[in-house]
Structures are given as structure tokens and as C-alpha cells.
Amino acid sequence: MRQDITQLFNIKYPIVQGGMIWVSGYKLASAVSNAGGLGLIGAGSMYPEVLREHIQKCKKATNKPFGVNVPMLYPDIEKIMKIIVEEGVKIVFTSAGNPKTWTSFLKEKGITVVHVVSSLKFALKAEAAGVDAVVCEGFEAGGHNGREETTTFTLIPIVKEQVKIPVIAAGGIGSGRGMLAAMVLGADGVQVGSRFAATKESSAHDNFKQAIVIAKEGETQLTLKELAPVRLIKNKFFNQVQELYKQAPSIEELKELLGRARAKKGMFEGDLDNGELEIGQISGLIHDIKSAKEVIDEMMIEYQEVKNSF
């Protein structure tokens, strides 16, 4: 049975904006929320006080629900969670860690908790931890990804068959057709990342936005599995990684090449040669920079038109 994501989050459309590092600031989150979706501030690239500032600005920019995405590998996680509670955030998406660690704490504060997973195994663990919903992210997704390489088309029905909580599909979804496909597979809603990265309100550098627009099918690939699997546009840095792999590198050698702040360099500062350019396979279908409202409106129109055509 389909469960109502719009009621869970008190939103108009079952569309969640991915909480992407260096991309999802308050401008994007508030624009998505104002347009009827659920906007998420991406805490993974923010110092605690920077996150507080974005939350406060988001509250001024929208009177609609919004949330915060928190990678649980974040070094200042205790400070982040404290700020979320102090600022009255009502929805938290957690990722990259054990959902047991913070779910009870957040739910005791009256916060709706959603956990991002890439496999049935972790979806069941998240459900057992008491989360309100799971985001099931397929292999097509941009940024950090699961090692299992399970595609969205396969993952959603497998998870939906065994969990009782709502399932939100992510990975390779950036259009109304993609949204409808996910719903047919059993998803209760969708999370969209890459399409929102290429919007006017995204905090990504214009160079990165244009790189998304011109990217074609086959120009992204998952790499660095030994550290944290990440899907990147193939650029100079990506090619350096591939050359290093030919030498059977140690984890330490991979870490040395990766260095620090590669994602910031690429996505936020616009260094298209030396930065990490994290984006999903759906980039091959992104051809322009739109406003977040235009993205949502067009998705919903296409969704209804295609649905009605059957």
C-alpha cells in the first residue's frame, strides 16, 4: 500500500530535494519548499555555526516545512544535532552511518527522521532503529554511493517488498517520467539531487552547473570504492585516479591523491580540472539551468500527463 509522503512532511508534492554538499544551502532548500516539495539543507559541507545561519535564513525565506541532511560521519556531529534541536528543525535526513546512533535522540525531540540507504540490509536496519521513512538510493545517484551497485529500478521493489515504512526513491530521477517510474515500482515519493544541483538557487559554482548541463551519457563513473564510493564527472582529477589504479595503489596512496577539500574545489569553487565533480547519471538528461519552482512544476505536469496517458 502506498503511504502518503505529503502527509508525513506536510508538503504539497512527494518530491524531496537531496541535501547535497556544497550545493544545498538555504536558498535552494527554501525555494524547493516554497514550490511544494521538501527542501533540505546539506549540513555535510557546513561548520556548525554556518549550518545555524542557514537554518535561520531558511526559516525567514519560507514558512513551509524544510529539513536538514546530516552525514553521520561528520566530525562535529554532536554540535550539529544540538543546533538542529535548538533551531527547531522538524525533519532530519541522516546518512553515512548507523541509524541507531541518533534516531532515538531526534525522535524524542519530536523530529521526523529519515535515513538514506543503498541496500535492503540497511533499509531493514533503519526500520528497526525506528526511522519514519527510508530513502533508497540506487547506483545511478551522484556523490557518495553504495558499494553494492544496485540500481534504483531493482532496489525499490526489493525494499518495498520487505519494509513497512514509507520508501522514497533516489538515483536517476530528474523528470516526471522518472518520478512515475519510481512510483510504479512501489516508491511513496522521490528524492531528486542532480536536477536541483543545476538550478538558479543551487549554491554550486556556475562552472559546475555548466559542466552538468554539457555532460552526456557515460561521462560519470563510480570510483574510490576503497575510501567512500563516489560518482564523478570524468575530468583531469578523475583520470589521475584511474592512472593511479593501474599501479595497484594502497589506501594511503589514494587518500594522498584525494587530499583535502576536492569536492569544495570542484563544486563550490568551480575548478573543473582538479576538483571532484559529484553528479548522477541523470546529468545526461539535464540541458539547462532552471529555477527550483520550474523544475518541480515541470516534473508534476509531466508526471500527470504521462500517468493519464495509460
Side-chain angles (χ1 to χ4, degrees), residues 43-62:
S45 51
M46 298 180 182
Y47 291 114
E49 288 307 315
V50 173
L51 174 62
R52 188 191 296 276
E53 180 182 344
H54 276 260
I55 293 172
Q56 291 176 348
K57 287 182 176 179
C58 200
K59 286 190 287 189
K60 292 179 180 178
T62 183

Side-chain angles (χ1 to χ4, degrees), residues 18-233:
M20 302 162 282
I21 62 169
W22 301 115
V23 172
S24 305
Y26 82 93
K27 289 183 180 178
L28 178 57
S30 60
V32 170
S33 290
N34 283 333
L38 179 69
L40 296 180
I41 296 171
S45 51
M46 298 180 182
Y47 291 114
E49 288 307 315
V50 173
L51 174 62
R52 188 191 296 276
E53 180 182 344
H54 276 260
I55 293 172
Q56 291 176 348
K57 287 182 176 179
C58 200
K59 286 190 287 189
K60 292 179 180 178
T62 183
N63 59 1
K64 309 289 187 180
F66 69 91
V68 175
N69 176 281
V70 183
M72 292 192 290
L73 297 178
Y74 193 97
D76 286 325
I77 187 73
E78 291 84 4
K79 293 180 182 178
I80 290 292
M81 292 302 188
K82 183 181 179 186
I83 287 171
I84 284 171
V85 172
E86 289 175 350
E87 293 297 330
V89 174
K90 298 301 182 186
I91 302 168
V92 171
F93 281 51
T94 55
S95 59
N98 187 341
K100 285 186 177 180
T101 310
W102 288 100
T103 297
S104 294
F105 169 84
L106 292 169
K107 288 185 69 66
E108 286 170 3
K109 308 295 183 182
I111 296 171
T112 299
V113 181
V114 182
H115 192 64
V116 182
V117 301
S118 59
S119 69
L120 172 62
K121 173 184 175 182
F122 290 111
L124 291 170
K125 286 188 174 183
E127 183 177 45
V131 303
D132 296 286
V134 287
V135 173
C136 293
E137 187 174 72
F139 175 66
E140 302 94 327
H144 292 287
N145 214 317
R147 289 181 169 83
E148 298 83 4
E149 299 193 8
T150 307
T151 64
T152 304
F153 200 88
T154 303
L155 181 62
I156 297 307
I158 287 176
V159 172
K160 189 66 179 178
E161 184 180 56
Q162 295 202 39
V163 304
K164 295 180 176 61
I165 56 177
V167 172
I168 301 167
I173 302 167
S175 66
R177 289 179 180 272
M179 179 178 171
L180 179 60
M183 297 294 210
V184 170
L185 290 171
D188 303 292
V190 296
Q191 178 172 281
V192 176
S194 299
R195 176 63 269 197
F196 283 123
T199 56
K200 296 174 182 177
E201 297 90 350
S202 158
S203 52
H205 195 281
D206 285 344
N207 290 351
F208 179 46
K209 293 181 186 182
Q210 291 303 319
I212 298 170
V213 168
I214 65 174
K216 295 179 175 58
E217 184 270 330
E219 292 185 0
T220 71
Q221 188 171 322
L222 200 70
T223 189
L224 294 171
K225 277 193 167 188
E226 295 82 355
L227 303 180
V230 61
R231 180 172 295 281
L232 304 174
I233 291 177

Side-chain angles (χ1 to χ4, degrees), residues 218-292:
E219 292 185 0
T220 71
Q221 188 171 322
L222 200 70
T223 189
L224 294 171
K225 277 193 167 188
E226 295 82 355
L227 303 180
V230 61
R231 180 172 295 281
L232 304 174
I233 291 177
K234 297 173 182 177
N235 65 348
K236 179 181 176 182
F237 166 66
F238 177 89
N239 292 334
Q240 289 173 340
V241 173
Q242 301 314 111
E243 285 299 315
L244 182 57
Y245 270 124
K246 294 178 181 178
Q247 304 170 29
S250 64
I251 290 178
E252 288 71 26
E253 287 172 320
L254 288 170
K255 285 182 178 179
E256 183 178 355
L257 175 60
L258 179 61
R260 290 177 58 84
R262 283 276 187 183
K264 180 182 181 183
K265 186 186 295 290
M267 295 187 286
F268 192 69
E269 297 176 352
D271 187 337
L272 301 185
D273 290 327
N274 302 302
E276 276 191 341
L277 306 178
E278 302 181 9
I279 207 69
Q281 289 182 334
I282 196 69
S283 55
L285 278 175
I286 299 172
H287 307 306
D288 48 20
I289 310 298
K290 299 179 182 291
S291 70

